[in-house]
Amino acid sequence: MTTVIKNIHEIWKTVLEIGDISIYDNFFEIGGNSILLIGMHNKLEEIYPGAISIAEIFANPSIIKLAE
């Protein structure tokens, strides 16, 4: 797993409060919603400022797609 994937994976686990998440899971299908997405985006911004927009998260709702 690359560093980017590991970082996103850890953020998702924290935001969604789920221990076992696949990099192929869809954020919204495993309990994510728009409020949690904002929290996730804020955490991503701390690590990767300006790199990932909210629209990109909606368009690429899995860790593997988002990391690309």
Side-chain angles (χ1 to χ4, degrees):
M1 235 189 266
T2 68
T3 302
V4 172
I5 291 173
K6 286 180 187 177
N7 289 340
I8 296 171
H9 190 260
E10 287 303 313
I11 290 170
W12 279 35
K13 285 176 26 179
T14 300
V15 169
L16 293 169
E17 299 178 347
I18 298 174
D20 189 24
I21 297 174
S22 166
I23 61 172
Y24 302 100
D25 285 339
N26 181 302
F27 180 79
F28 301 103
E29 291 175 0
I30 60 173
N33 58 44
S34 56
I35 301 298
L36 291 174
L37 183 136
I38 298 298
M40 179 181 61
H41 181 259
N42 289 339
K43 290 183 182 303
L44 287 169
E45 278 290 304
E46 292 174 10
I47 301 170
Y48 307 107
I52 303 170
S53 70
I54 291 174
E56 287 177 295
I57 299 170
F58 273 111
N60 302 290
S62 70
I63 294 171
I64 193 72
K65 287 291 187 183
L66 197 55
E68 292 174 356

